[in-house]
Amino acid sequence: GRGRNIAVDGADNNDDVVGGTLQNFPQDGVQEFQIITNRFSADIGRSASSAINVVTKTGGNDLHGAAGFYFRHDALSALPATLDRGLVATLGRPSFDREQYAGSLGGPLKRDKLWFFSAFEYRFQDAVVLTGVRDLNQRRVLTSFSPAPLRDTLLTGRGDWQTTTADRMAFRYALQRENDIDRGSLGGRPIGTADNRQQSFNNYQSFVYNWAHTFSPRLLNDFVFHENNFINRIPTFVENRNELRFPSVQDGGNFRIPQRTRQNRFQFRDNVSWTAGNHALKFGGGVSA
């Protein structure tokens, strides 16, 4: 997961701190994706394992739209097979509901010349996590449920412009706002108390500009400018409660927080593709800061 390279519309989408994908996109906004696990060409680079390329949707000469809604509730679901039925008998069924809203719209601003596309997705989830409660009188740890809500907003907008027969430009902006509460103990062992949970706030924004110029049927130039901004905050969940760790429970404020990550990236990339007889050549370079 930390040794591969992910690109969206030719732009870097990697978390430089802990690895993994940096920003998520609405599912309705994805046109296609490619996964190469080995033997990829030298122009991809920056990967020790695999390369993933994602292309977002563009608008066309016809107006098209889509909308979707997904609903899931604990009243409509069976209990997980691994959940202790004795715990359910004591505490009741754990609460859970998830609602997802999605929509997309694309079409022409000027036929055969200028097009737009946008997609939106919102996930609203209320769930629980297993937490421990220290029973000091009985000298034991009881198991309980604690709230673990999630709110996630995804938005992307794209414009494509055929400026001349040889030039095409694309502009894409994307946004993700996410906050959630989850357990703070790694792997869930030992179990953490409600105070040991953590809350994360994530804010992602990215802009990509792409200019493709066709010199001839055998010679093509592709230029990409990319800027993204990522801010992650994990503030203190409880004040003045240092973590106490026992073999059976972790209590108090998690020792790994507060945390804050900020990542700003500017990227320039230019590639020239040239077909000469039976040979395909590619030249280019890139700068990322």
Side-chain angles (χ1 to χ4, degrees), residues 61-121:
N61 282 332
D62 297 320
L63 187 66
H64 287 283
F69 172 69
Y70 174 81
F71 174 72
R72 178 180 169 188
H73 195 273
D74 55 71
L76 305 174
S77 303
L79 292 173
T82 56
L83 186 61
D84 185 353
R85 295 313 192 257
L87 186 64
V88 176
T90 303
L91 301 176
R93 290 173 61 94
S95 61
F96 181 89
D97 75 85
R98 175 186 294 161
E99 301 170 16
Q100 287 180 249
Y101 307 86
S104 62
L105 183 67
L109 294 174
K110 185 175 182 180
R111 294 182 64 84
D112 300 320
K113 193 75 173 179
L114 188 62
W115 307 268
F116 79 94
F117 184 86
S118 61
F120 168 82
E121 187 173 324

CSV table of all heavy atoms in Angstrom, one decimal, residues 61-121:
chain,number,residue,atom,x,y,z
A,61,ASN,N,-22.0,16.1,-26.0
A,61,ASN,CA,-22.9,17.0,-26.7
A,61,ASN,C,-24.4,16.8,-26.3
A,61,ASN,O,-25.2,17.6,-26.7
A,61,ASN,CB,-22.8,16.8,-28.2
A,61,ASN,CG,-21.6,17.5,-28.8
A,61,ASN,OD1,-21.2,18.6,-28.3
A,61,ASN,ND2,-21.0,17.0,-29.9
A,62,ASP,N,-24.6,15.7,-25.6
A,62,ASP,CA,-26.0,15.5,-25.0
A,62,ASP,C,-26.0,15.7,-23.5
A,62,ASP,O,-25.0,15.3,-22.9
A,62,ASP,CB,-26.4,14.1,-25.4
A,62,ASP,CG,-26.6,13.9,-26.9
A,62,ASP,OD1,-27.0,14.8,-27.6
A,62,ASP,OD2,-26.2,12.7,-27.3
A,63,LEU,N,-27.1,16.2,-23.0
A,63,LEU,CA,-27.2,16.4,-21.6
A,63,LEU,C,-27.6,15.1,-20.9
A,63,LEU,O,-28.6,14.5,-21.2
A,63,LEU,CB,-28.2,17.5,-21.3
A,63,LEU,CG,-28.3,18.0,-19.8
A,63,LEU,CD1,-27.1,18.7,-19.4
A,63,LEU,CD2,-29.6,18.9,-19.7
A,64,HIS,N,-26.8,14.7,-19.9
A,64,HIS,CA,-27.0,13.5,-19.2
A,64,HIS,C,-26.9,13.7,-17.7
A,64,HIS,O,-26.0,14.5,-17.3
A,64,HIS,CB,-26.0,12.4,-19.6
A,64,HIS,CG,-26.3,11.8,-21.0
A,64,HIS,ND1,-27.3,10.9,-21.2
A,64,HIS,CD2,-25.6,12.0,-22.1
A,64,HIS,CE1,-27.3,10.6,-22.5
A,64,HIS,NE2,-26.3,11.3,-23.1
A,65,GLY,N,-27.7,13.1,-16.9
A,65,GLY,CA,-27.7,13.2,-15.5
A,65,GLY,C,-28.1,11.9,-14.8
A,65,GLY,O,-28.7,11.0,-15.5
A,66,ALA,N,-27.7,11.7,-13.6
A,66,ALA,CA,-28.0,10.5,-12.8
A,66,ALA,C,-28.2,10.9,-11.4
A,66,ALA,O,-27.5,11.9,-10.9
A,66,ALA,CB,-27.0,9.4,-13.0
A,67,ALA,N,-29.0,10.1,-10.6
A,67,ALA,CA,-29.2,10.4,-9.2
A,67,ALA,C,-29.3,9.0,-8.5
A,67,ALA,O,-29.9,8.1,-9.1
A,67,ALA,CB,-30.4,11.3,-8.9
A,68,GLY,N,-28.9,8.9,-7.3
A,68,GLY,CA,-29.0,7.7,-6.6
A,68,GLY,C,-29.1,7.9,-5.1
A,68,GLY,O,-28.7,8.9,-4.5
A,69,PHE,N,-29.8,6.9,-4.4
A,69,PHE,CA,-29.9,7.0,-3.0
A,69,PHE,C,-29.8,5.6,-2.4
A,69,PHE,O,-30.3,4.6,-3.0
A,69,PHE,CB,-31.3,7.6,-2.6
A,69,PHE,CG,-31.6,7.5,-1.1
A,69,PHE,CD1,-30.9,8.3,-0.2
A,69,PHE,CD2,-32.6,6.6,-0.7
A,69,PHE,CE1,-31.2,8.2,1.1
A,69,PHE,CE2,-32.9,6.5,0.7
A,69,PHE,CZ,-32.2,7.3,1.6
A,70,TYR,N,-29.0,5.5,-1.3
A,70,TYR,CA,-28.8,4.2,-0.7
A,70,TYR,C,-29.1,4.3,0.8
A,70,TYR,O,-28.7,5.3,1.4
A,70,TYR,CB,-27.3,3.7,-0.9
A,70,TYR,CG,-27.0,2.5,-0.1
A,70,TYR,CD1,-27.3,1.2,-0.6
A,70,TYR,CD2,-26.3,2.6,1.1
A,70,TYR,CE1,-26.9,0.1,0.1
A,70,TYR,CE2,-25.9,1.4,1.8
A,70,TYR,CZ,-26.2,0.2,1.3
A,70,TYR,OH,-25.9,-1.0,2.0
A,71,PHE,N,-29.9,3.3,1.3
A,71,PHE,CA,-30.3,3.4,2.7
A,71,PHE,C,-30.0,2.0,3.3
A,71,PHE,O,-30.4,1.0,2.8
A,71,PHE,CB,-31.7,3.8,2.8
A,71,PHE,CG,-32.3,3.7,4.2
A,71,PHE,CD1,-31.9,4.6,5.2
A,71,PHE,CD2,-33.1,2.7,4.6
A,71,PHE,CE1,-32.4,4.6,6.5
A,71,PHE,CE2,-33.6,2.6,5.9
A,71,PHE,CZ,-33.3,3.6,6.8
A,72,ARG,N,-29.4,2.0,4.5
A,72,ARG,CA,-29.2,0.8,5.3
A,72,ARG,C,-29.5,1.1,6.7
A,72,ARG,O,-29.1,2.1,7.3
A,72,ARG,CB,-27.8,0.3,5.0
A,72,ARG,CG,-27.5,-1.0,5.8
A,72,ARG,CD,-26.1,-1.4,5.6
A,72,ARG,NE,-25.7,-2.5,6.5
A,72,ARG,CZ,-24.4,-3.0,6.6
A,72,ARG,NH1,-23.5,-2.5,5.8
A,72,ARG,NH2,-24.1,-3.9,7.5
A,73,HIS,N,-30.2,0.2,7.4
A,73,HIS,CA,-30.6,0.4,8.8
A,73,HIS,C,-30.4,-0.9,9.5
A,73,HIS,O,-30.6,-2.0,9.0
A,73,HIS,CB,-32.0,0.9,8.9
A,73,HIS,CG,-32.3,1.5,10.2
A,73,HIS,ND1,-32.8,0.7,11.3
A,73,HIS,CD2,-32.2,2.7,10.7
A,73,HIS,CE1,-33.0,1.5,12.3
A,73,HIS,NE2,-32.7,2.7,12.0
A,74,ASP,N,-30.1,-0.8,10.9
A,74,ASP,CA,-30.0,-2.1,11.6
A,74,ASP,C,-31.3,-2.9,11.7
A,74,ASP,O,-31.2,-4.1,11.9
A,74,ASP,CB,-29.5,-1.8,13.0
A,74,ASP,CG,-30.3,-0.8,13.8
A,74,ASP,OD1,-31.5,-1.1,14.2
A,74,ASP,OD2,-29.9,0.4,14.0
A,75,ALA,N,-32.4,-2.2,11.5
A,75,ALA,CA,-33.7,-3.0,11.6
A,75,ALA,C,-33.8,-3.9,10.4
A,75,ALA,O,-34.6,-4.8,10.4
A,75,ALA,CB,-34.9,-2.0,11.7
A,76,LEU,N,-33.1,-3.6,9.3
A,76,LEU,CA,-33.2,-4.4,8.1
A,76,LEU,C,-32.0,-5.4,8.0
A,76,LEU,O,-31.9,-6.1,6.9
A,76,LEU,CB,-33.1,-3.5,6.9
A,76,LEU,CG,-34.2,-2.4,6.8
A,76,LEU,CD1,-34.0,-1.4,5.7
A,76,LEU,CD2,-35.6,-3.0,6.8
A,77,SER,N,-31.2,-5.5,9.0
A,77,SER,CA,-30.0,-6.3,8.9
A,77,SER,C,-29.9,-7.3,10.0
A,77,SER,O,-30.3,-7.0,11.1
A,77,SER,CB,-28.7,-5.4,8.9
A,77,SER,OG,-28.7,-4.5,7.9
A,78,ALA,N,-29.3,-8.5,9.7
A,78,ALA,CA,-29.1,-9.4,10.8
A,78,ALA,C,-27.8,-9.0,11.5
A,78,ALA,O,-27.0,-8.3,11.1
A,78,ALA,CB,-28.9,-10.8,10.1
A,79,LEU,N,-27.7,-9.5,12.7
A,79,LEU,CA,-26.5,-9.3,13.5
A,79,LEU,C,-25.3,-10.0,12.9
A,79,LEU,O,-25.4,-11.1,12.4
A,79,LEU,CB,-26.7,-9.7,15.0
A,79,LEU,CG,-27.8,-9.0,15.8
A,79,LEU,CD1,-28.0,-9.7,17.1
A,79,LEU,CD2,-27.3,-7.5,16.0
A,80,PRO,N,-24.1,-9.3,13.0
A,80,PRO,CA,-22.9,-10.0,12.5
A,80,PRO,C,-22.7,-11.3,13.3
A,80,PRO,O,-23.0,-11.5,14.5
A,80,PRO,CB,-21.8,-9.0,12.9
A,80,PRO,CG,-22.5,-7.7,13.0
A,80,PRO,CD,-23.8,-8.0,13.5
A,81,ALA,N,-22.2,-12.3,12.5
A,81,ALA,CA,-22.1,-13.7,13.1
A,81,ALA,C,-21.0,-13.7,14.3
A,81,ALA,O,-21.1,-14.5,15.2
A,81,ALA,CB,-21.7,-14.6,12.0
A,82,THR,N,-20.1,-12.7,14.2
A,82,THR,CA,-19.0,-12.7,15.2
A,82,THR,C,-19.4,-11.9,16.5
A,82,THR,O,-18.6,-11.8,17.4
A,82,THR,CB,-17.8,-12.1,14.6
A,82,THR,OG1,-18.1,-10.8,14.1
A,82,THR,CG2,-17.2,-13.0,13.5
A,83,LEU,N,-20.6,-11.3,16.5
A,83,LEU,CA,-21.0,-10.4,17.6
A,83,LEU,C,-21.5,-11.3,18.8
A,83,LEU,O,-22.4,-12.2,18.6
A,83,LEU,CB,-22.0,-9.4,17.2
A,83,LEU,CG,-22.5,-8.4,18.3
A,83,LEU,CD1,-21.3,-7.5,18.7
A,83,LEU,CD2,-23.6,-7.5,17.7
A,84,ASP,N,-21.0,-11.1,20.0
A,84,ASP,CA,-21.4,-11.9,21.1
A,84,ASP,C,-22.9,-11.6,21.4
A,84,ASP,O,-23.3,-10.5,21.7
A,84,ASP,CB,-20.6,-11.4,22.3
A,84,ASP,CG,-20.8,-12.2,23.6
A,84,ASP,OD1,-21.7,-13.1,23.6
A,84,ASP,OD2,-20.1,-12.0,24.6
A,85,ARG,N,-23.7,-12.7,21.4
A,85,ARG,CA,-25.1,-12.6,21.6
A,85,ARG,C,-25.4,-12.3,23.1
A,85,ARG,O,-26.5,-11.7,23.4
A,85,ARG,CB,-25.8,-13.9,21.2
A,85,ARG,CG,-25.8,-14.2,19.7
A,85,ARG,CD,-26.1,-13.1,18.9
A,85,ARG,NE,-26.4,-13.4,17.5
A,85,ARG,CZ,-25.5,-13.2,16.5
A,85,ARG,NH1,-24.3,-12.7,16.7
A,85,ARG,NH2,-25.9,-13.5,15.2
A,86,GLY,N,-24.6,-12.6,24.0
A,86,GLY,CA,-24.7,-12.3,25.4
A,86,GLY,C,-24.6,-10.8,25.5
A,86,GLY,O,-25.4,-10.1,26.3
A,87,LEU,N,-23.7,-10.1,24.8
A,87,LEU,CA,-23.6,-8.7,24.8
A,87,LEU,C,-24.8,-8.0,24.3
A,87,LEU,O,-25.3,-7.0,24.8
A,87,LEU,CB,-22.4,-8.3,24.0
A,87,LEU,CG,-22.0,-6.8,24.0
A,87,LEU,CD1,-21.5,-6.4,25.4
A,87,LEU,CD2,-20.8,-6.6,23.0
A,88,VAL,N,-25.4,-8.6,23.2
A,88,VAL,CA,-26.7,-8.0,22.7
A,88,VAL,C,-27.8,-8.1,23.7
A,88,VAL,O,-28.6,-7.2,23.8
A,88,VAL,CB,-27.0,-8.7,21.4
A,88,VAL,CG1,-28.3,-8.2,20.8
A,88,VAL,CG2,-25.9,-8.5,20.3
A,89,ALA,N,-27.9,-9.3,24.4
A,89,ALA,CA,-28.9,-9.5,25.4
A,89,ALA,C,-28.8,-8.4,26.5
A,89,ALA,O,-29.8,-8.0,27.1
A,89,ALA,CB,-28.8,-10.9,25.9
A,90,THR,N,-27.6,-8.0,26.8
A,90,THR,CA,-27.4,-7.1,27.9
A,90,THR,C,-27.6,-5.6,27.5
A,90,THR,O,-28.2,-4.8,28.2
A,90,THR,CB,-26.0,-7.2,28.5
A,90,THR,OG1,-25.8,-8.6,28.9
A,90,THR,CG2,-25.7,-6.3,29.7
A,91,LEU,N,-27.0,-5.3,26.3
A,91,LEU,CA,-27.0,-3.9,25.9
A,91,LEU,C,-28.0,-3.6,24.8
A,91,LEU,O,-28.3,-2.4,24.5
A,91,LEU,CB,-25.6,-3.5,25.3
A,91,LEU,CG,-24.4,-3.7,26.3
A,91,LEU,CD1,-23.1,-3.4,25.6
A,91,LEU,CD2,-24.6,-2.8,27.5
A,92,GLY,N,-28.6,-4.6,24.2
A,92,GLY,CA,-29.5,-4.4,23.1
A,92,GLY,C,-28.8,-4.4,21.8
A,92,GLY,O,-27.5,-4.5,21.7
A,93,ARG,N,-29.5,-4.3,20.7
A,93,ARG,CA,-28.8,-4.3,19.3
A,93,ARG,C,-28.0,-3.1,19.1
A,93,ARG,O,-28.5,-2.0,19.5
A,93,ARG,CB,-29.9,-4.4,18.2
A,93,ARG,CG,-30.6,-5.8,18.1
A,93,ARG,CD,-31.8,-5.7,17.1
A,93,ARG,NE,-31.3,-5.3,15.8
A,93,ARG,CZ,-31.0,-6.2,14.8
A,93,ARG,NH1,-31.1,-7.5,15.1
A,93,ARG,NH2,-30.5,-5.8,13.7
A,94,PRO,N,-26.8,-3.2,18.6
A,94,PRO,CA,-26.0,-2.0,18.3
A,94,PRO,C,-26.7,-1.2,17.2
A,94,PRO,O,-27.2,-1.7,16.2
A,94,PRO,CB,-24.7,-2.5,17.8
A,94,PRO,CG,-25.0,-3.9,17.4
A,94,PRO,CD,-26.1,-4.4,18.2
A,95,SER,N,-26.8,0.1,17.4
A,95,SER,CA,-27.5,1.0,16.4
A,95,SER,C,-26.6,1.2,15.1
A,95,SER,O,-25.3,1.3,15.3
A,95,SER,CB,-27.8,2.3,17.0
A,95,SER,OG,-26.6,3.0,17.4
A,96,PHE,N,-27.2,1.3,14.0
A,96,PHE,CA,-26.5,1.5,12.7
A,96,PHE,C,-27.4,2.0,11.7
A,96,PHE,O,-28.5,1.4,11.5
A,96,PHE,CB,-25.8,0.2,12.2
A,96,PHE,CG,-25.0,0.5,11.0
A,96,PHE,CD1,-23.7,0.8,11.0
A,96,PHE,CD2,-25.6,0.3,9.7
A,96,PHE,CE1,-22.9,1.0,9.9
A,96,PHE,CE2,-24.9,0.5,8.5
A,96,PHE,CZ,-23.5,0.9,8.6
A,97,ASP,N,-27.1,3.1,11.0
A,97,ASP,CA,-27.8,3.5,9.8
A,97,ASP,C,-26.8,4.2,8.9
A,97,ASP,O,-25.9,4.9,9.3
A,97,ASP,CB,-29.0,4.3,10.1
A,97,ASP,CG,-28.6,5.8,10.5
A,97,ASP,OD1,-28.5,6.6,9.6
A,97,ASP,OD2,-28.5,6.0,11.7
A,98,ARG,N,-27.0,4.0,7.6
A,98,ARG,CA,-26.2,4.7,6.6
A,98,ARG,C,-27.1,5.2,5.5
A,98,ARG,O,-27.9,4.4,5.0
A,98,ARG,CB,-25.1,3.7,6.0
A,98,ARG,CG,-24.3,4.3,4.9
A,98,ARG,CD,-23.4,3.3,4.2
A,98,ARG,NE,-22.4,2.9,5.2
A,98,ARG,CZ,-21.7,1.7,5.1
A,98,ARG,NH1,-21.9,0.9,4.0
A,98,ARG,NH2,-20.8,1.4,5.9
A,99,GLU,N,-26.8,6.4,5.1
A,99,GLU,CA,-27.5,7.0,3.9
A,99,GLU,C,-26.5,7.6,3.0
A,99,GLU,O,-25.6,8.3,3.4
A,99,GLU,CB,-28.5,8.1,4.4
A,99,GLU,CG,-29.5,7.6,5.4
A,99,GLU,CD,-30.3,8.8,6.0
A,99,GLU,OE1,-30.2,9.9,5.5
A,99,GLU,OE2,-31.0,8.6,7.0
A,100,GLN,N,-26.6,7.3,1.7
A,100,GLN,CA,-25.7,7.8,0.7
A,100,GLN,C,-26.5,8.5,-0.4
A,100,GLN,O,-27.5,7.9,-0.9
A,100,GLN,CB,-24.8,6.7,0.1
A,100,GLN,CG,-23.8,6.2,1.1
A,100,GLN,CD,-22.9,5.1,0.4
A,100,GLN,OE1,-23.0,4.0,0.8
A,100,GLN,NE2,-22.1,5.5,-0.6
A,101,TYR,N,-26.2,9.7,-0.7
A,101,TYR,CA,-26.8,10.4,-1.8
A,101,TYR,C,-25.8,10.7,-2.9
A,101,TYR,O,-24.7,11.1,-2.6
A,101,TYR,CB,-27.3,11.8,-1.2
A,101,TYR,CG,-28.2,11.7,0.0
A,101,TYR,CD1,-27.7,11.6,1.3
A,101,TYR,CD2,-29.6,11.6,-0.1
A,101,TYR,CE1,-28.5,11.5,2.4
A,101,TYR,CE2,-30.4,11.5,1.0
A,101,TYR,CZ,-29.8,11.5,2.2
A,101,TYR,OH,-30.6,11.4,3.4
A,102,ALA,N,-26.2,10.5,-4.1
A,102,ALA,CA,-25.3,10.7,-5.2
A,102,ALA,C,-26.0,11.3,-6.4
A,102,ALA,O,-27.2,11.1,-6.6
A,102,ALA,CB,-24.6,9.4,-5.6
A,103,GLY,N,-25.3,12.1,-7.2
A,103,GLY,CA,-25.9,12.7,-8.4
A,103,GLY,C,-24.8,13.2,-9.3
A,103,GLY,O,-23.6,13.5,-8.9
A,104,SER,N,-25.1,13.3,-10.6
A,104,SER,CA,-24.1,13.7,-11.6
A,104,SER,C,-24.9,14.4,-12.7
A,104,SER,O,-26.0,14.1,-13.0
A,104,SER,CB,-23.2,12.6,-12.1
A,104,SER,OG,-24.0,11.6,-12.7
A,105,LEU,N,-24.2,15.3,-13.4
A,105,LEU,CA,-24.8,16.0,-14.5
A,105,LEU,C,-23.7,16.5,-15.5
A,105,LEU,O,-22.6,17.0,-15.0
A,105,LEU,CB,-25.6,17.2,-14.0
A,105,LEU,CG,-26.3,18.0,-15.1
A,105,LEU,CD1,-27.4,17.2,-15.7
A,105,LEU,CD2,-26.9,19.3,-14.5
A,106,GLY,N,-23.9,16.2,-16.7
A,106,GLY,CA,-22.9,16.6,-17.7
A,106,GLY,C,-23.5,16.9,-19.1
A,106,GLY,O,-24.6,16.4,-19.4
A,107,GLY,N,-22.9,17.8,-19.8
A,107,GLY,CA,-23.4,18.2,-21.1
A,107,GLY,C,-22.6,19.3,-21.8
A,107,GLY,O,-21.5,19.6,-21.3
A,108,PRO,N,-23.2,19.9,-22.8
A,108,PRO,CA,-22.5,20.9,-23.6
A,108,PRO,C,-22.7,22.3,-23.0
A,108,PRO,O,-23.8,22.6,-22.6
A,108,PRO,CB,-23.0,20.7,-25.0
A,108,PRO,CG,-24.4,20.3,-24.8
A,108,PRO,CD,-24.4,19.5,-23.5
A,109,LEU,N,-21.7,23.1,-23.0
A,109,LEU,CA,-21.8,24.6,-22.9
A,109,LEU,C,-21.9,25.2,-24.3
A,109,LEU,O,-22.5,26.2,-24.5
A,109,LEU,CB,-20.7,25.1,-22.1
A,109,LEU,CG,-20.7,24.7,-20.6
A,109,LEU,CD1,-19.4,25.2,-19.9
A,109,LEU,CD2,-21.9,25.2,-19.9
A,110,LYS,N,-21.1,24.6,-25.2
A,110,LYS,CA,-21.2,24.9,-26.6
A,110,LYS,C,-20.9,23.7,-27.4
A,110,LYS,O,-19.8,23.1,-27.2
A,110,LYS,CB,-20.1,26.0,-27.0
A,110,LYS,CG,-20.2,26.5,-28.4
A,110,LYS,CD,-19.3,27.7,-28.6
A,110,LYS,CE,-19.4,28.2,-30.1
A,110,LYS,NZ,-18.5,29.3,-30.3
A,111,ARG,N,-21.8,23.2,-28.2
A,111,ARG,CA,-21.7,21.9,-28.9
A,111,ARG,C,-20.4,21.9,-29.7
A,111,ARG,O,-20.0,22.8,-30.4
A,111,ARG,CB,-22.9,21.7,-29.8
A,111,ARG,CG,-24.2,21.5,-29.1
A,111,ARG,CD,-25.3,21.2,-30.0
A,111,ARG,NE,-25.1,20.0,-30.7
A,111,ARG,CZ,-25.4,18.8,-30.2
A,111,ARG,NH1,-26.0,18.7,-29.0
A,111,ARG,NH2,-25.2,17.7,-30.9
A,112,ASP,N,-19.7,20.7,-29.6
A,112,ASP,CA,-18.5,20.4,-30.3
A,112,ASP,C,-17.3,21.3,-29.9
A,112,ASP,O,-16.3,21.3,-30.6
A,112,ASP,CB,-18.7,20.5,-31.8
A,112,ASP,CG,-19.8,19.6,-32.4
A,112,ASP,OD1,-19.8,18.4,-31.9
A,112,ASP,OD2,-20.6,20.0,-33.2
A,113,LYS,N,-17.5,22.1,-28.8
A,113,LYS,CA,-16.5,23.0,-28.4
A,113,LYS,C,-16.2,23.0,-26.9
A,113,LYS,O,-15.0,23.0,-26.5
A,113,LYS,CB,-16.9,24.4,-28.9
A,113,LYS,CG,-15.9,25.5,-28.8
A,113,LYS,CD,-14.9,25.3,-30.0
A,113,LYS,CE,-13.9,26.5,-30.0
A,113,LYS,NZ,-12.9,26.3,-31.1
A,114,LEU,N,-17.2,23.1,-26.1
A,114,LEU,CA,-17.0,23.3,-24.7
A,114,LEU,C,-18.0,22.4,-23.9
A,114,LEU,O,-19.3,22.5,-24.2
A,114,LEU,CB,-17.2,24.7,-24.3
A,114,LEU,CG,-16.9,25.2,-22.9
A,114,LEU,CD1,-15.4,25.0,-22.6
A,114,LEU,CD2,-17.2,26.7,-22.8
A,115,TRP,N,-17.6,21.6,-22.9
A,115,TRP,CA,-18.4,20.7,-22.2
A,115,TRP,C,-18.2,20.8,-20.7
A,115,TRP,O,-17.1,21.2,-20.3
A,115,TRP,CB,-18.2,19.3,-22.7
A,115,TRP,CG,-18.3,19.0,-24.1
A,115,TRP,CD1,-19.4,18.7,-24.9
A,115,TRP,CD2,-17.2,19.2,-25.1
A,115,TRP,NE1,-19.0,18.6,-26.2
A,115,TRP,CE2,-17.7,18.9,-26.3
A,115,TRP,CE3,-15.8,19.5,-24.9
A,115,TRP,CZ2,-16.9,18.9,-27.5
A,115,TRP,CZ3,-15.0,19.5,-26.1
A,115,TRP,CH2,-15.6,19.2,-27.3
A,116,PHE,N,-19.1,20.4,-19.9
A,116,PHE,CA,-19.0,20.4,-18.5
A,116,PHE,C,-19.4,19.0,-17.9
A,116,PHE,O,-20.2,18.3,-18.5
A,116,PHE,CB,-19.8,21.5,-17.8
A,116,PHE,CG,-21.2,21.2,-17.7
A,116,PHE,CD1,-21.8,20.7,-16.5
A,116,PHE,CD2,-22.1,21.4,-18.7
A,116,PHE,CE1,-23.1,20.4,-16.4
A,116,PHE,CE2,-23.5,21.2,-18.6
A,116,PHE,CZ,-24.0,20.6,-17.4
A,117,PHE,N,-18.9,18.7,-16.7
A,117,PHE,CA,-19.4,17.5,-16.0
A,117,PHE,C,-19.2,17.8,-14.5
A,117,PHE,O,-18.1,18.3,-14.1
A,117,PHE,CB,-18.7,16.2,-16.4
A,117,PHE,CG,-19.2,15.0,-15.7
A,117,PHE,CD1,-20.3,14.3,-16.3
A,117,PHE,CD2,-18.7,14.6,-14.5
A,117,PHE,CE1,-20.8,13.2,-15.6
A,117,PHE,CE2,-19.2,13.4,-13.9
A,117,PHE,CZ,-20.3,12.8,-14.4
A,118,SER,N,-20.1,17.3,-13.7
A,118,SER,CA,-20.0,17.5,-12.2
A,118,SER,C,-20.6,16.2,-11.6
A,118,SER,O,-21.6,15.7,-12.1
A,118,SER,CB,-20.7,18.7,-11.7
A,118,SER,OG,-22.0,18.7,-12.0
A,119,ALA,N,-20.1,15.9,-10.4
A,119,ALA,CA,-20.6,14.7,-9.6
A,119,ALA,C,-20.5,15.1,-8.2
A,119,ALA,O,-19.6,15.8,-7.7
A,119,ALA,CB,-19.9,13.5,-10.0
A,120,PHE,N,-21.5,14.5,-7.4
A,120,PHE,CA,-21.6,14.8,-6.0
A,120,PHE,C,-22.0,13.5,-5.3
A,120,PHE,O,-22.7,12.7,-5.8
A,120,PHE,CB,-22.7,15.9,-5.7
A,120,PHE,CG,-23.1,16.0,-4.3
A,120,PHE,CD1,-22.3,16.8,-3.4
A,120,PHE,CD2,-24.2,15.4,-3.8
A,120,PHE,CE1,-22.6,16.9,-2.1
A,120,PHE,CE2,-24.6,15.5,-2.4
A,120,PHE,CZ,-23.8,16.3,-1.6
A,121,GLU,N,-21.4,13.3,-4.1
A,121,GLU,CA,-21.8,12.2,-3.2
A,121,GLU,C,-21.6,12.6,-1.8
A,121,GLU,O,-20.7,13.2,-1.4
A,121,GLU,CB,-20.8,11.0,-3.5
A,121,GLU,CG,-21.2,9.7,-2.9
A,121,GLU,CD,-20.4,8.5,-3.3
A,121,GLU,OE1,-20.0,8.5,-4.5
A,121,GLU,OE2,-20.1,7.7,-2.5
